[in-house]
Amino acid sequence: MKTRIAIAALGTLLFTSFSNAAAHWTYQGKTGTSQWANLEADYAVCGTGQRQSPINIETRKVTGTAAQVIGVSYAPANADVVNNGHTIQVEPANGGTLTIDGVEYKLAQFHFHTPSEEKIDGKSYPLVAHLVHKSAEGKLAVIAVLFRTGKANATLKPVFASLPAKAGDKHVLDGTINVGDLLPAKRDNYTFIGSLTTPPCSEDVRWVVMKTPVSISSAQLAAFRKLYKMNARPVQAVNGREVLVGR
Ligand SMILES: [Zn+2]
C-alpha cells in the first residue's frame, strides 16, 4: 500500500515537472472535459470558473459595440509546427502583434480545434484556429478564425503539407507564414472575456471571434482530422457576460 502511494506521488511529481509534455488530459473518456477540474489542483477553475470558454454566441443578445479599437500588425515569419498531443500548433518567430485599446500583445502561437469550439447561434464550424497573443504583463488575447470547407487555404498549405504525425514531433515550416493572411478581409468580430479552453482554463483572456469564416479544403480538414478527430471543449455557461461587436 505504502509503495503504491509513493509511486502515485512520484507520478504526480513527474506530471508536474513535465506538464507541457504530459498528455494526461483528453477530450473524451476518463480524463475528458467533464473531469478536467478533478485532474489537478491547478485545473479547479475548469469547473468553478464563471467566465469560461468557449461559449455559444447568441447574436440577438449582442447589442453594444466595443469601445476598444483592435489593430493587427503581422509579418512573414519562420515557424515551427508542433504536435503537442492535443493539437497541431504553429509557433512563428516574431510573427507580429495585436493591439487592443493601446495594449500590445505579441503573437505566440496558433493552433486548431475540430469542430470549432465557438458556436454562433448554436452552429459550429468544421474547424477553428486560435491565434494566441501575450502582452508584456502576461495577459492573453486570442483571435478565433472560423473555417468552412471550400477552396484550399493557401496560407495554411505549407502547414498542412507536412503535419507532424506523432505527439512530441516538430517540423520546421517550409518557407515563412504571415498570420495576417489567415484573417478574413472583413474584421467584424465578437469580443468578450473568457478563458483558455484547455487546462488550466485560466480566466481573464480577451477573446476576439471573427464573424466571417475563411475557407479550408476538405482534404486539408481531413489531414488534420486524421491526427485529431475531435479536440473541442463543449460550450460553457455565459453567466451574463457581455458580448460586444468589435471592429
Ligand atoms: Zn485553442
Side-chain angles (χ1 to χ4, degrees):
M1 193 65 175
K2 261 187 187 162
T3 319
R4 286 181 65 180
I5 290 166
I7 289 169
L10 184 66
T12 308
L13 202 69
L14 290 173
F15 269 135
T16 310
S17 315
F18 300 101
S19 55
N20 284 332
H24 70 300
W25 57 266
T26 55
Y27 285 93
Q28 284 159 318
K30 278 185 191 163
T31 53
T33 51
S34 64
Q35 294 305 313
W36 287 354
N38 308 320
L39 298 176
E40 293 254 5
D42 286 354
Y43 299 174
V45 74
C46 298
T48 58
Q50 297 296 302
R51 298 190 302 171
Q52 288 288 291
S53 288
I55 59 169
N56 174 38
I57 297 162
E58 290 183 83
T59 56
R60 68 184 172 86
K61 290 187 182 170
V62 180
T63 47
T65 300
Q68 293 102 331
V69 177
I70 292 168
V72 293
S73 173
Y74 295 117
N78 296 308
D80 287 336
V81 184
V82 179
N83 184 331
N84 68 11
H86 305 291
T87 187
I88 298 295
Q89 185 163 299
V90 183
E91 300 171 352
N94 300 315
T97 58
L98 162 68
T99 305
I100 302 176
D101 216 17
V103 178
E104 191 178 85
Y105 300 79
K106 247 184 100 178
L107 177 71
Q109 44 97 346
F110 68 92
H111 60 265
F112 304 95
H113 301 271
T114 187
S116 74
E117 297 193 302
E118 308 57 26
K119 289 186 176 176
I120 297 179
D121 292 329
K123 180 187 183 313
S124 63
Y125 289 78
L127 187 80
V128 68
H130 286 162
L131 284 50
V132 181
H133 306 73
K134 204 172 189 176
S135 76
E137 286 184 340
K139 280 214 163 193
L140 295 175
V142 184
I143 297 181
V145 179
L146 300 161
F147 292 87
R148 57 177 173 75
T149 48
K151 277 200 301 190
N153 190 297
T155 311
L156 291 178
K157 252 181 199 159
V159 176
F160 282 86
S162 162
L163 292 171
K166 277 186 289 182
D169 284 359
K170 179 164 101 175
H171 291 169
V172 174
L173 189 80
D174 186 17
T176 58
I177 189 160
N178 186 339
V179 170
D181 295 341
L182 268 184
L183 299 181
K186 279 179 74 180
R187 300 283 165 81
D188 294 14
N189 58 76
Y190 300 111
T191 183
F192 50 91
I193 300 295
S195 74
L196 298 178
T197 67
T198 56
C201 309
S202 318
E203 295 189 333
D204 207 16
V205 175
R206 161 65 56 183
W207 279 89
V208 175
V209 178
M210 290 291 156
K211 271 191 194 183
T212 311
V214 299
S215 180
I216 193 172
S217 69
S218 43
Q220 288 177 318
L221 180 64
F224 181 78
R225 284 189 173 165
K226 210 173 138 188
L227 303 179
Y228 292 100
K229 218 168 94 190
M230 199 294 284
N231 66 340
R233 187 189 195 194
V235 291
Q236 305 291 305
V238 175
N239 293 322
R241 262 176 286 173
E242 204 170 40
V243 179
L244 297 169
V245 171
R247 292 182 205 284

